[in-house]
Amino acid sequence: MVLMFFNEKSCESESTQDEARQAMLSFIKVCRQVWTIHRGATLVSEVRLEDVQIAPGYYLQQWRNEPRNRDAWQFMRRVLQRKAPLSGVLPKPPEDQESVYCFEGAPVLGLAAAHLMNSTSLAVSLPSAPSWDASWLKVDYELLDEDHYAEGSADVRHASSHAHVTEHEQWIRDTGAASATTGTDLWDKWTELFPYLQFVPGVEQNLKDLADVAAPSVRDELLRLNTAAETWRPGESEPAWAVKVVPESESRIKLGLVNFTDLDGVKWPFSLHVRFQPSPGRIHFRLIGEEGRIRVGYIGRKRLTDDVPRRAR
């Protein structure tokens, strides 16, 4: 899961209300872009966003209630997962430890949390000042416990614009997928990990029967197929493949070895396939051109029967 930690300092500016309105719209676009890449992304803040002041005397709750902003707010309210406070997702620190994180000399909470959860975190800010126009931010920290003192600085992954999210896109994809380590995980999280793929009913059992050793390879191949489907444009005969895709042999098609029950309850040939490890793993699928989607019909070992000639396998 990707955690987006809200940088509360990006609200502390002398912006006018009009500038704050535009900054909020840009911020929501950033959140939506991250969510589009990984639909399990969660926005975490110290206080409810509605209680944040985004310009002097102007609160996000006021912005939210303005008719012109209601459509934009629907994404934040109905789609994006949100959590508060920060402590709800952070590991509990040792009782005898104190820490202070600062950015350009000012204490920060959201950026501190992003550093503490570095492997899964992305700090996000309103584009309210030049300081936030960077894909990485440097924070200074001091750590103190009963018998030890340490200080230093660290880089925090950050986004406040479309370009920043694009720079971190591969990391977002990889981080979102990393938590899926079994076939059951892949099925439970498929809407988050593979939103541009479709799966026929039989694939659920295929994944639940999948050996754990094969899950990372299957996950990676499905991610590549999802990327291909995401960038497939109307009018193109097939996606731009980021993985080796091959059709099944005519002899195996005629033997019905790649026929699987589709969403309509009818068996169709799912000839196209990619391989996964350990061999001979296969992911069979077909292209749904009118929807711009890839429909997966089978995930498992290459299907063989005793009466299939070896040359046809």
Side-chain angles (χ1 to χ4, degrees):
M1 176 189 294
V2 173
L3 297 175
M4 296 186 290
F5 286 100
F6 180 63
N7 171 23
E8 76 287 348
K9 287 298 178 184
S10 65
C11 295
E12 297 180 6
S13 71
E14 296 304 314
S15 299
T16 65
Q17 291 189 9
D18 283 341
E19 291 170 337
R21 290 187 183 98
Q22 187 56 50
M24 271 304 304
L25 291 174
S26 298
F27 174 73
I28 291 176
K29 287 180 180 178
V30 164
C31 292
R32 183 185 290 274
Q33 187 182 356
V34 174
W35 177 86
T36 300
I37 299 168
H38 172 53
R39 298 194 179 184
T42 299
L43 180 64
V44 189
S45 56
E46 178 60 18
V47 300
R48 291 190 326 141
L49 286 186
E50 291 89 332
D51 298 330
V52 170
Q53 182 176 245
I54 58 176
Y58 183 55
Y59 288 80
L60 195 149
Q61 188 170 17
Q62 295 171 261
W63 176 91
R64 179 199 67 184
N65 292 335
E66 293 172 359
R68 74 183 90 176
N69 301 320
R70 286 177 183 168
D71 288 344
W73 182 249
Q74 289 306 305
F75 168 74
M76 304 294 283
R77 188 171 76 89
R78 295 181 179 273
V79 180
L80 185 66
Q81 298 180 64
R82 295 187 291 147
K83 293 183 178 180
L86 299 173
S87 59
V89 301
L90 295 177
K92 187 176 181 180
E95 292 184 1
D96 63 345
Q97 185 183 81
E98 296 182 11
S99 62
V100 177
Y101 283 79
C102 293
F103 177 80
E104 296 183 348
V108 288
L109 296 176
L111 297 181
H115 173 249
L116 291 171
M117 300 291 285
N118 180 57
S119 63
T120 60
S121 71
L122 173 71
V124 288
S125 301
L126 272 67
S128 56
S131 295
W132 314 127
D133 186 16
S135 57
W136 292 87
L137 299 177
K138 188 175 291 294
V139 295
D140 300 312
Y141 62 84
E142 296 180 77
L143 303 176
L144 175 67
D145 58 30
E146 287 186 348
D147 53 12
H148 182 70
Y149 171 80
E151 61 180 357
S153 61
D155 292 325
V156 173
R157 192 177 291 102
H158 174 259
S160 66
S161 71
H162 177 89
H164 299 158
V165 177
T166 300
E167 180 176 334
H168 298 307
E169 180 172 352
Q170 192 57 52
W171 173 86
I172 295 169
R173 293 186 188 277
D174 293 344
T175 302
S179 61
T181 58
T182 69
T184 299
D185 288 342
L186 293 174
W187 178 255
D188 290 343
K189 300 179 179 180
W190 78 263
T191 55
E192 299 175 8
L193 301 179
F194 320 116
Y196 295 93
L197 301 183
Q198 298 176 351
F199 297 91
V200 305
V203 171
E204 177 179 3
Q205 195 59 49
N206 292 164
L207 288 173
K208 290 182 176 180
D209 291 341
L210 189 70
D212 288 352
V213 68
S217 182
V218 170
R219 178 190 66 206
D220 293 346
E221 297 305 320
L222 289 175
L223 285 171
R224 294 186 182 103
L225 290 176
N226 185 73
T227 298
E230 181 180 1
T231 57
W232 190 10
R233 298 292 177 259
E236 297 175 344
S237 59
E238 63 179 42
W241 302 114
V243 62
K244 185 178 180 181
V245 173
V246 295
E248 193 55 82
S249 66
E250 285 298 323
S251 56
R252 284 175 56 80
I253 292 174
K254 289 179 180 177
L255 289 165
L257 292 176
V258 295
N259 288 349
F260 304 102
T261 303
D262 209 333
L263 298 177
D264 57 4
V266 177
K267 282 195 172 185
W268 291 88
F270 287 71
S271 170
L272 295 176
H273 62 276
V274 297
R275 301 183 179 189
F276 67 85
Q277 298 300 319
S279 184
R282 297 289 189 272
I283 300 174
H284 283 272
F285 58 91
R286 68 189 192 95
L287 304 180
I288 312 300
E290 63 273 19
E291 299 179 33
R293 292 291 184 267
I294 294 173
R295 185 173 297 164
V296 178
Y298 172 77
I299 300 174
R301 294 179 64 80
K302 182 178 180 179
R303 297 182 75 203
L304 302 173
T305 62
D306 292 340
D307 59 345
V308 178
R310 184 167 296 278
R311 65 179 179 275
R313 296 181 178 181

